[in-house]
Amino acid sequence: MMISTRGRYALRVMIDLAEQNADGFVSLKEIAARQEISEKYLESIVKNLVQSGYLEGLRGKGGGYRLVRRPEEYSVGEILRIMEGSLAPVACLEEKAFPCNREEKCKTLPLWRKLSALIEDFLNGVTLADLVSGAPSGDGQVV
């Protein structure tokens, strides 16, 4: 499994907004400058996050974006799923996968299921607030 640039940048945008800790809106231009990411590229990312209900946008003077919920209410897993679609390590474990005719005799399926569960549990257990504070993850390492 490899997280795309869109997934990584979405996390950076969400962390940036969480760090601002403001009730107001933060302009995309400011986020792009701080994160050193093209404003044009960020437009498509924040559009997806707004449509998914993770961010709120406001146009015009004083406009920008802000989190809809508190940072501790967003898991890394949910943000990545919005951008990546699936976090499954193999195609047969994706949500709408075609039935596999080898499922009954597949010797590796238990391995992939366990890996998938570990990935989901880990990413769902880390919040934006954890990333902002640098709090350690469950294994004692900072994410």
Side-chain angles (χ1 to χ4, degrees), residues 74-93:
Y74 291 94
S75 77
V76 169
E78 69 180 314
I79 296 165
L80 290 177
R81 273 188 296 283
I82 291 294
M83 303 310 292
E84 303 294 334
S86 172
L87 299 176
V90 290
C92 64
L93 293 179

Side-chain angles (χ1 to χ4, degrees), residues 6-27:
R6 285 180 57 79
R8 294 191 322 268
Y9 286 4
L11 275 177
R12 286 171 56 183
V13 167
M14 298 291 283
I15 292 166
D16 188 286
L17 289 169
E19 286 176 330
Q20 300 316 305
N21 199 21
D23 292 327
F25 290 85
V26 179
S27 77

Side-chain angles (χ1 to χ4, degrees), residues 107-127:
K107 299 289 185 182
T108 60
L109 187 56
L111 168 80
W112 302 132
R113 282 186 175 144
K114 186 170 183 176
L115 177 59
S116 183
L118 288 169
I119 291 167
E120 290 285 334
D121 290 347
F122 176 75
L123 294 176
N124 291 336
V126 180
T127 68

